[in-house]
Structures are given as C-alpha cells and as structure tokens.
C-alpha cells in the first residue's frame, strides 16, 4: 500500500517524476480518469480551506467520488480516538484517506492502523505537510527550471510549522540552499538539527535570496509570549515593502496561506509582482492530481 | 512455624556493600539468621539459590498496584514493597499508600492508611505552597516526595528539547522546566530546613543542583526513573509510544548524567514509574496520548546493563528507597522482614521474590 506521509525519506528522482507529471496535469495533457468509481475521503480534524478544496478538485478531476469528513458533528468531538475514526472510515471502503490532524505523527499512525487505504498526509501537527512542499517546489521549478544552487529563505514560526519542515526537506532534496530566519522563540536553536543555517537577522537572510517564503504567524502566539506585538514582529521579521525592494530583481515571494496581511508580509508585497502566492494555490491542484494518481 | 532456608547464595548488604556467601534462615515472616553455607539446622524446607544473590526485597518509590497485572509485574520485577496512589489492593506486594502532597492550591492531607505524601507526576502549584507544605510537615517525620516541574516552561511540550523533537515536530520541553523548579525547591528547602525528596529527575542541570545541595548538607534525596537511565529522546523516532513518558526523555547527555548520578550517589534510588495507560491512550497521536507505560518487570535487568557495581544497584532498589520513605524494609539481617529478592546478577534476572517469607514469584531460568 502506497502512502505519502512525509517528504523526509523520499528520493530526488521520485519527487522529480511526480513534479514532471504534475506539469502534464497543469498543461491539461492528461485525459485519463484513473480514480473513476473510487472514493477519496478527506479526513480533516483541523479547519482548512485551500488544502481540502484542492484535494477535492484533484480527486474529482481524476474521477473519484469525494467524501468530506470534518470534525464538527463527528464522533471525534465526542472523544472517539483517532485510530477508531480511521478504522471506521476505512471500513467504508475509500481508496485514499487525505488526513489533516493537529498531532505530529497522525498520518503515520493512520497508515499503520489499517490495510485498505492509501494515506496522504495533508498536515500532521508541527511535523510535515508534504503536498504543500511539493506544490511550493513545483512553483519554483516552473519559474526556474531547476532548484539547484538556488537560495531560499524561510521566515517566521518554524517551530509550529509543518510547512517549513516539509519545505526544508523538499527544497534541499532538489538542490536548493535553505536557511531559516526568525526569533529564537519561533526558530529554536535545536532546529539546526534539520541541517540548515538559522539566521537571526532578516536583512542578512534576504541578502541574495532567490526566493523568500513567509510562514503564517498565528496571532495567538502573542498571547503565548512568543513575540511582543504585531507591530514589533512586522518591523523586525515581516517582509515589508522596504525589504522587498532590497531583494534581487528576480526573487520570488511565497506564502502557504492564509496570509496575515501586515503581520508576516506587507499587503502590497503579497499582491506585488514578486509574489507567486496565487500560483502556489493554482499549482496545488495539479500537484495533488499527480499525488493521487501515483497512489494507484 | 516451619522454616525456609535459602541455600548456597551470596547475601548482599546494601548498607555496607558487602557481598558474602550466607544461607538465609527464614522463620515465619522474619529472617531468623544469616549463617555460614551449610550451617543451617536441618529439617527446614530448602530453596537452592546457589550461584544467585539474595537481596532485601526491592522497593519501588513510584509504581502502581491497581490491577492484578500490576501486582504480578511488580513481583516479577523483584519488588516486595511498592509506593502507589489509590486504593489498597491485595497484600502482596506490600503497598505503601501515598496521599497527595498538594490539593489544588492547598495542602494535601494524610488519609487513613497512608504514610507518605507525594506529588506524583504533578508540579507543585507554586513555590509558595511548596514552602508551606515543607514547613507544616517539617517536624512530623512524614516523607515528602515532590515532582519538580515549572509548567510555564513545559507549556505543551512532550519531548525533551533537542534534535529528535525538532525533526519530529514534537513540541520541546526545555531542560529548565525541571532544573529551574529544582533550583527553586532547593532554595526553599535551604531556608526552611527539613527533608525533601525529588521524584524522577531526568536532566543534567537538576542533578548538578542536587549534587551541590547535598554537598552543602541539605537533607535532599532524589531518584530517577529507570527509563531516564536507559533511554534517550531518540526512542521517540517514528513517534514510538514507548517514549511517551513523563518526565519526557531527553538527549543523550542527560541520560549519561543520570547514570553518573546513580553511580556517585547524587541519586539515592531508582523507581519504575510503572504507570499503566488505557488502550485508548495509545490510539491518539503521540502528544495527545497519556504518558506512562508498564515498566516494573525489567527494572533490575535494565539497571544491571549500566555497568554499576552490584552492591550499588541493590542499594538503589532497597536501602536507598527505604530511607527516603522511612520504611523498615530494605535491609537484610537477623530480625529483618523476610521480604527477599533473589537475583541472577550475571543475567540481570529476578529469580525469586519472597514477601513475608513466602515465595510469590519464580522467574523463568533463561
């Protein structure tokens, strides 16, 4: 049974084949419906708009019937365990479970708990969000041809970010140089274990960057005393218009969404010519088609 | 009353570290005498323990006796006395019931049948309440066992801060969550006087503070759970549920510090932290599952794997915890309780567990 649980552990040829296939989907060159008659179950324990919708569109395109299962009104809100939920849903016979859950390791647990469904990790806690990293890599690869030697700076709340972990693994796998930037509350020193430099000065971190990826900073982190105020954060760690102007002319700006305008990124930068934020969303559907097809 | 003689073994005296060939003569629930090999009067039933070591029964400072399985695990682990919370169970192993040291923001009380106050796995509500507990109980002789943790530093962390937690996306628990609490507790103890025990220390900073406090003459004792002496945070790779324990596992240098502290006497005891969890608590993600595990059975074997002298291993399981909980058990000599644990030290196996002179566990010979 094939699963997509994490980027860590994948090999480069596999990822490149997947991204090549995503391009064929993106260009409308695929007419097959390999999931015709099958069920893809979206199992979302946390709210999501774009990831869930993106998988739904991809699955529908491939001919699958999509079952959306969200936590509100479900047994999970009555205390059913994750594994119980997964086993029960698996018993209904879907071919694929697309799982989003707040606990790191949830997707691996779900994959091990049953033998009939392929599991796609659509975000597990602070661990990984592989389809997001693949669509980010796809977006950069379409722009650049290759990621080899490119410098990508990821800025913000890495501690709580599954997007950041998956991107570190994926971008490095494809030959990019990755660096992380943020205050030590959000980018703890131990993250050096990921094998990438940690920078504490955003202007230095942006110097010569081919792309900068901002992470969503949840406003609740302020109440947890992880940063002082939104204004302070924006001034020191935000991609302001002034900072964006200092980037190399060819540099791209990414954000996995949803964007906190004026916090991690200035509105005019999010909407500016360097921003590929909407391209990321658009490419997400093609990448997820390639993922769902590969699972067959 | 008929007697029992354990013949051919070597008796370990954890107070002196002496290991001498002696036959142990048991009459009723007490040890009658330790005699030279073969010198016991004939007629008594004999248990051949040649090649084995006879020790005082092991004492577990934090275990569980709630279910039959827990009692069997404790006996298989050589434990004849277990400090545990909750209702009184069967008579074997001997249960020492702990009442809660704290009650919300206030002080807990000894209840009927309890002789020890422990905060188990719960941090003191504040240093202020801990100080009042220490003063209130200081002159009563009641043992106080404290879990040192600053919850504001733990936050939602589930694994010791380090490379493993960073890679797995598990929220980290900084070392200071324990060590800063230990530092505060030591300051309070130093000012108030009295005696205090620290439950399951797990990191280098805490052990350094305890070592220094003991050197200054504070009446401070501490134990480690067997897990922290034998495993580090890498056990959590793949979100292995065996690593979901509390305090959390930490990077290797902390494990090394625990082993060193067991060796040099900074730590006085090893506990099992045997803490059964319900099956449903292994059905969620790592962070959402309750911490715990069944660990009583193999404490001796795991402790033997650390390369400590046998007499030190036995002291950590007998005289050390007995002194902390102020128990009669934990010694072996004429007149002592006939709570005995017979081990194969070379193989790290418990072979017989006797409580009140009766054999309650016979280990399989490997």
């Amino acid at each position: 049974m094939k699963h997509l649980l994490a980027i860590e552990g994948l090999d480069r040829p596999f990822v490149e084949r997947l991204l090549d296939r995503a391009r064929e989907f993106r260009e409308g060159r695929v007419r097959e419906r390999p999931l015709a008659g099958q069920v893809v179950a979206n199992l979302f324990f946390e709210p999501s708009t774009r990831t869930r919708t993106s998988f739904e569109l991809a699955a529908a395109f491939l001919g699958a019937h999509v079952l959306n299962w969200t936590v509100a009104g479900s047994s999970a809100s009555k205390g059913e365990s994750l594994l119980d939920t997964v086993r029960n849903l698996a018993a209904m016979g879907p071919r694929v479970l697309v799982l989003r859950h707040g606990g790191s390791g949830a997707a691996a647990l779900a994959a091990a708990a049953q033998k009939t469904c392929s599991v796609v990790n659509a975000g597990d806690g602070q661990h990984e969000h592989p389809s997001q990293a693949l669509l980010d890599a796809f977006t950069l690869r379409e722009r650049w041809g290759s990621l080899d030697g490119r410098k990508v700076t990821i800025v913000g709340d890495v501690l709580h970010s599954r997007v950041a972990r998956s991107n570190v693994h994926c971008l490095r796998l494809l030959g990019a140089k990755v660096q992380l930037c943020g205050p030590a509350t959000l980018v703890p020193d131990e993250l050096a274990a990921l094998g990438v430099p940690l920078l504490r000065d955003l202007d230095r971190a942006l110097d010569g960057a081919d792309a900068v990826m901002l992470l969503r900073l949840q406003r609740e982190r302020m109440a947890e005393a992880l940063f002082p105020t939104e204004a302070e954060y924006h001034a020191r760690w935000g991609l302001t218009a002034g900072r964006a102007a200092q980037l190399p002319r060819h540099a791209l700006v990414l954000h996995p969404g949803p964007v906190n305008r004026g916090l991690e990124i200035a509105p005019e930068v999010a909407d500016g010519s360097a921003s590929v934020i909407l391209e990321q969303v658009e490419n997400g559907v093609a990448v997820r088609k390639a993922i769902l097809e590969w699972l067959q | 009353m008929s007697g029992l003689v354990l013949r051919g073994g070597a008796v370990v005296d954890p107070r002196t570290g002496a290991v001498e060939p002696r036959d142990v003569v048991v009459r009723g629930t007490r040890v009658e005498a330790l005699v030279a090999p073969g010198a016991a009067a004939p007629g008594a039933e004999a248990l051949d323990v040649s090649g084995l070591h006879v020790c005082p029964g092991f004492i577990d400072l934090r275990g569980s006796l709630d279910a039959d399985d827990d009692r069997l695990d404790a006996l298989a682990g050589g434990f004849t006395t277990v400090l545990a919370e909750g209702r009184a169970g069967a008579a074997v192993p001997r249960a020492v019931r702990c009442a809660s040291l704290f009650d919300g923001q206030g002080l807990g009380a000894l209840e009927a049948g309890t002789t020890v106050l422990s905060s188990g796995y719960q941090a003191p509500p504040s240093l202020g309440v801990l100080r009042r507990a220490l003063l209130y109980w200081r002159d009563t002789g009641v043992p106080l066992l404290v879990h040192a943790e600053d919850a504001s530093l733990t936050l939602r962390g589930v694994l010791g801060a380090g490379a493993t937690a960073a890679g797995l996306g598990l929220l980290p628990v900084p070392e200071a969550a324990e060590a800063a609490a230990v530092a505060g507790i030591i300051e309070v103890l130093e000012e108030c006087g009295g005696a205090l025990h620290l439950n399951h220390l797990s990191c280098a900073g805490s052990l350094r503070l305890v070592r220094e406090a003991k050197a200054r003459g504070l009446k401070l004792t501490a134990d480690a759970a067997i897990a922290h002496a034998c495993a580090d945070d890498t056990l959590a790779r793949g979100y292995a549920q065996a690593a979901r324990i509390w305090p959390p596992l930490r990077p290797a240098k902390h494990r090394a510090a625990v082993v060193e502290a067991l060796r040099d006497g900074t730590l006085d005891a090893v506990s099992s932290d045997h803490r059964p969890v319900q099956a449903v608590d292994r059905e969620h993600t790592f962070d959402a599952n309750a911490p715990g595990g069944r660990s009583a059975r193999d404490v001796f074997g795991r402790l033997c794997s650390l390369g400590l002298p046998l007499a030190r291993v036995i002291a950590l399981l007998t005289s050390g915890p007995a002194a902390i909980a102020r128990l009669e058990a934990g010694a072996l000599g004429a007149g002592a309780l006939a709570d005995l644990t017979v081990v194969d030290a070379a193989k790290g196996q418990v072979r017989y567990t006797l409580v009140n002179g009766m054999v309650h566990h016979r280990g399989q010979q490997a």
Side-chain angles (χ1 to χ4, degrees):
Chain A
M1 187 65 59
K2 294 181 192 169
H3 306 287
L4 180 64
L5 305 178
I7 300 292
E8 189 177 20
L10 298 182
D11 61 47
R12 180 168 178 164
F14 168 79
V15 170
E16 287 178 335
R17 278 198 307 274
L18 199 71
L19 298 184
D20 288 342
R21 184 62 174 164
R23 180 184 298 130
E24 293 175 15
F25 278 111
R26 175 88 163 74
E27 293 171 354
R29 291 192 272 134
V30 183
R31 296 261 171 262
E32 300 95 70
R33 296 287 181 268
L35 271 64
Q38 300 187 1
V39 174
V40 171
N42 276 333
L43 196 58
F44 278 62
F45 289 81
E46 287 185 335
S48 158
T49 307
R50 81 208 62 213
T51 302
R52 188 181 55 74
T53 311
S54 183
F55 270 111
E56 188 170 347
L57 287 171
F61 179 88
L62 296 175
H65 178 74
V66 180
L67 174 68
N68 276 314
W69 191 98
T70 47
V71 77
S74 71
S75 311
S77 53
K78 298 171 194 143
E80 189 175 63
S81 79
L82 169 62
L83 290 191
D84 262 337
T85 308
V86 166
R87 290 189 201 109
N88 276 280
L89 201 66
M92 295 179 198
R95 177 66 192 74
V96 180
L97 290 182
V98 178
L99 177 69
R100 155 87 45 108
H101 191 277
S104 298
L109 207 56
Q114 47 77 40
K115 294 187 168 61
T116 55
C117 310
S118 290
V119 174
V120 178
N121 182 5
D124 64 326
Q126 300 81 41
H127 179 224
E128 284 223 33
H129 189 350
S131 67
Q132 177 71 43
L134 289 167
L135 75 87
D136 292 338
F138 180 85
T139 302
L140 295 175
R141 198 163 170 258
E142 292 306 291
R143 289 292 195 116
W144 296 338
S146 164
L147 274 64
D148 277 311
R150 296 287 189 162
K151 188 155 118 184
V152 181
T153 298
I154 301 176
V155 188
D157 184 4
V158 180
L159 174 64
H160 297 97
S161 178
R162 49 198 174 216
V163 174
R165 267 179 198 72
S166 280
N167 262 297
V168 166
H169 294 303
C170 193
L171 296 170
R172 293 181 77 213
L173 190 67
L174 296 173
K177 288 181 282 193
V178 181
Q179 51 191 22
L180 304 175
C181 180
T185 48
L186 302 174
V187 185
D189 296 336
E190 305 95 76
L191 285 169
L194 296 177
V196 293
L198 312 182
L199 280 76
R200 305 302 183 187
D201 179 318
L202 181 56
D203 294 310
R204 270 188 54 214
L206 296 180
D207 185 32
D210 296 297
V212 50
M213 179 182 297
L214 290 317
L215 300 173
R216 175 176 169 78
L217 178 63
Q218 294 189 359
R219 292 193 153 87
E220 305 88 85
R221 305 294 176 212
M222 195 167 92
E224 296 171 27
L226 293 173
F227 67 97
T229 63
E230 294 186 15
E232 155 62 29
Y233 184 89
H234 183 65
R236 198 175 298 274
W237 309 104
L239 189 60
T240 58
R243 286 203 176 96
Q246 297 299 312
L247 285 168
R249 286 176 59 85
H250 68 274
L252 302 176
V253 174
L254 296 92
H255 192 301
V259 174
N260 286 311
R261 288 164 179 267
L263 183 53
E264 63 264 8
I265 187 169
E268 59 269 38
V269 180
D271 300 331
S273 59
S275 168
V276 292
I277 296 173
L278 289 177
E279 264 178 63
Q280 291 173 268
V281 177
E282 191 180 349
N283 291 335
V285 181
V287 168
R288 285 162 179 137
K289 286 175 187 169
I291 291 169
L292 292 174
E293 181 192 52
W294 166 74
L295 291 171
Q296 298 308 301
Chain B
M1 194 176 281
S2 66
L4 172 70
V5 180
L6 284 71
R7 286 190 200 278
V11 168
V12 181
D13 183 341
R15 292 164 304 179
T16 63
V19 180
E20 291 177 342
R22 287 284 184 277
D23 289 355
V24 180
V25 181
V26 174
R27 189 159 303 276
T29 64
R30 296 269 163 183
V31 172
E32 186 176 71
L34 306 181
V35 300
E45 182 191 348
L47 184 64
D48 180 9
V49 295
S50 49
L52 305 177
H53 288 87
V54 181
C55 315
F58 296 168
I59 301 166
D60 192 355
L61 284 179
R62 271 181 324 286
S64 170
L65 296 174
D66 286 344
D68 285 341
D69 280 353
D70 302 323
R71 289 189 278 276
L72 292 174
D73 279 1
L75 289 168
F79 292 105
T80 57
T81 299
V82 176
L83 276 70
E85 295 171 33
R87 62 190 166 79
V92 175
R94 214 179 282 281
V96 174
R97 292 289 156 187
C98 299
S100 181
L101 178 56
F102 303 110
D103 181 4
Q105 296 293 314
L107 303 187
L110 287 179
E111 297 150 22
T114 63
T115 55
V116 171
L117 287 163
S118 174
S119 75
Y121 300 82
Q122 298 292 320
S126 67
L127 281 178
V129 175
L130 174 82
R131 177 174 179 275
R132 295 189 278 281
L134 194 57
L135 288 170
Y136 182 87
W137 297 106
R138 187 183 66 190
D139 306 301
T140 64
V142 176
L144 308 179
L145 280 59
V146 180
H147 170 87
E149 180 182 344
D150 183 329
S152 76
L153 286 160
T154 301
L155 282 181
R156 291 174 292 135
V158 291
L159 189 66
T164 305
L168 290 171
L170 293 174
L171 291 178
V173 182
E175 179 181 6
E178 180 180 290
V182 168
I185 289 167
I186 287 173
E187 288 301 316
V188 170
L189 178 67
E190 186 141 24
E191 184 187 347
C192 298
L196 197 80
H197 176 79
L198 294 169
N199 287 341
H200 44 218
L201 296 184
S202 66
C203 65
S206 307
L207 296 166
R208 173 177 50 77
L209 291 163
V210 170
R211 188 176 287 120
E212 291 164 3
K214 284 186 161 190
R216 290 202 302 278
L218 264 64
K219 287 188 206 157
L220 182 65
T221 54
D223 73 273
I226 188 67
H228 297 105
C230 297
D232 60 34
D233 58 348
T234 60
L235 184 66
R237 284 177 185 160
Y239 305 97
Q241 301 288 353
R244 182 71 176 111
I245 62 170
W246 206 255
L249 290 170
R250 301 178 192 277
K253 72 163 189 175
H254 298 289
R255 182 195 161 200
V258 168
V259 173
E260 181 52 32
L262 291 172
R263 188 188 306 276
D264 74 8
T266 301
L267 289 167
D268 304 275
V270 165
S271 58
S272 72
D273 270 0
H274 181 89
R275 194 181 185 193
V277 294
Q278 295 183 318
V280 71
D281 271 316
R282 290 295 173 261
E283 297 235 313
H284 303 282
T285 48
F286 188 90
D287 59 319
N289 284 326
R294 308 191 65 85
S295 46
R297 266 180 187 264
D298 53 359
V299 172
F300 177 70
R302 297 180 79 189
L303 199 50
C304 282
S305 72
L306 301 177
L308 304 175
L310 178 65
R312 182 72 194 136
V313 167
I314 300 306
L316 289 163
L317 292 169
T318 58
S319 55
I324 291 160
R326 292 177 206 153
L327 303 176
E328 180 194 355
L332 179 43
L337 284 173
D339 288 3
L340 302 169
T341 299
V342 181
V343 298
D344 182 332
K347 293 179 180 161
Q349 294 171 344
V350 172
R351 296 287 297 280
Y352 300 98
T353 306
L354 290 78
V355 181
N356 279 333
M358 302 275 290
V359 176
H360 284 278
H361 170 78
R362 288 172 196 268
Q364 301 294 317
Q365 190 172 356

